[in-house]
Structure formats: C-alpha cells, structure tokens
Amino acid sequence: MSIDLLLAIAAYAFVTTITPGPNNAMLLASGLTFGFWRTGPHILGIAIGFALMVAAVGLGAGELFKVIPHLHEILRVVATVYLLYLAWKIATAAPAGLSDTATDRKPFSFLQAAAFQWVNPKAWIMSIGAVSTYTVPGAFTLSVLVIALAFLCVGSPCIALWAGFGSAMRRLMKNPRRVRQINWAMAALLAASALYPLLQTAA
C-alpha cells in the first residue's frame, strides 16, 4: 500500500470519527454525566469494537446484505428503536456527583459499547464505505486490517475528545438543571440521527 493511500485512509478515519454521530453524542453525554475516567470503557468499546467491525465487514460480514435482502431494513428498524431508547436514557440520566439519584446510573460498559456498533447506522456506513473505497484487490486482507488499525489509532483520540469535552463541561457546570438540559439536547440529537434515515426513505 502506498503512502498516499495510507494518508487517505487516515484522513477518512479522522473525518468520520471526529464528526457528530450516535457514538459521539453518547460519549459527550456520558462525559457530562459520569466524567471522563468512568467513560473510559465506553471509549475503548467503541474504538476496539468498531475496528473489529471493519475487519469483519471486510472479511465477509458485509456479504450478508446480499444473501439476506431484507437485512438492511431489519437492521434499520432495530437500530432506530435502540437509538431512541438510548436517547431516552440520556435525557433522564441524572449527573453523577450532582444528584443522589445518579447512584443507580452506570455508564456504558466495554462490551455494551462494542456491541452497539452493530446497530449503529453511521458505523455501517463508515465501515462499508472504507472497505469498498480503500481496499487493494491484490492485497485485500492486508488492506482490510490496515483500515481497521487506522480507525483504531486515528479514531480513538477523536472520540475521546467528545468524552473529554463533556467532562470539561461537567466541571464547569455545578447546576444539575443545566446538566440535564444539555443531556436533553444530546438526547434530541441522538433521536434525530436515529429518525433521519427513516425520514429520508419516506421522502
């Protein structure tokens, strides 16, 4: 693989992971609610889980869409319902350390965050787009692994920034009401990202 291709893959990984999406909205809300360090397993789950997803898609999982024609629609419905559920959880989460009602709240675990990638519409678009655009026919398996590694190395600090930003906001905001308002805003963005593909289809 040429240096130019590696730089293109790194740029694609950077742009797609730094921009808003379900993962980043959830990390921002988690950093705000629980702080950066408690959000650590969530960050690692996304980073490693998505890299494994890219590898799986490149090595054959993407072929399921050809074998099962309605799988895309099924996945879309499941993803929408789950994202709306997560939006509600974010909206109703009390900020840890600012309210006694937060003691029964827990941030996403590593496994939950990794598993979430498989119902994340943006993750599917990113992984399929990367594999279809940047793989080299003569070294297909190697290029898939390079793409997955690029997302792991480039994407990890990008998504961590969102959790860090949420944590910084949390330190500045001691008013639980304002934290809840931001959680509601993040929940609205997550719900919008879930409903947008359905609205586009209907149109």
Side-chain angles (χ1 to χ4, degrees):
M1 299 181 73
S2 67
I3 296 297
D4 289 342
L5 182 58
L6 291 175
L7 290 176
I9 294 170
Y12 179 85
F14 173 79
V15 171
T16 53
T17 53
I18 198 69
T19 49
N23 279 326
N24 290 336
M26 291 167 61
L27 286 174
L28 179 64
S30 182
L32 178 65
T33 304
F34 303 106
F36 183 82
W37 295 112
R38 290 189 66 192
T39 305
H42 192 165
I43 297 171
L44 290 175
I46 291 174
I48 296 175
F50 182 71
L52 292 175
M53 181 183 183
V54 171
V57 168
L59 298 178
E63 293 297 315
L64 287 174
F65 288 98
K66 297 179 182 179
V67 177
I68 308 174
H70 298 294
L71 180 60
H72 186 269
E73 294 302 319
I74 295 171
L75 178 65
R76 181 180 302 187
V77 172
V78 171
T80 300
V81 172
Y82 189 57
L83 286 172
L84 291 176
Y85 166 74
L86 290 176
W88 174 251
K89 295 285 286 184
I90 290 173
T92 57
L98 299 180
S99 173
D100 293 338
T101 60
T103 55
D104 60 341
R105 305 285 185 177
K106 292 182 180 180
F108 254 38
S109 68
F110 174 88
L111 290 178
Q112 286 175 320
F116 172 70
Q117 304 317 301
W118 293 91
V119 293
N120 180 358
K122 185 181 178 182
W124 278 104
I125 294 170
M126 288 165 56
S127 58
I128 293 174
V131 169
S132 61
T133 304
Y134 298 108
T135 47
V136 178
F140 185 81
T141 302
L142 176 61
S143 53
V144 167
L145 296 178
V146 168
I147 293 169
L149 184 61
F151 271 104
L152 181 62
C153 295
V154 176
S156 297
C158 292
I159 61 174
L161 281 176
W162 285 81
F165 182 54
S167 180
M169 292 171 62
R170 179 173 182 262
R171 287 195 294 270
L172 294 174
M173 291 184 165
K174 301 301 182 182
N175 186 338
R177 182 179 179 183
R178 289 186 179 180
V179 174
R180 289 191 183 95
Q181 288 172 344
I182 295 176
N183 277 345
W184 272 99
M186 291 301 100
L189 288 175
L190 187 59
S193 70
L195 295 174
Y196 180 76
L198 294 180
L199 295 177
Q200 286 292 98
T201 303

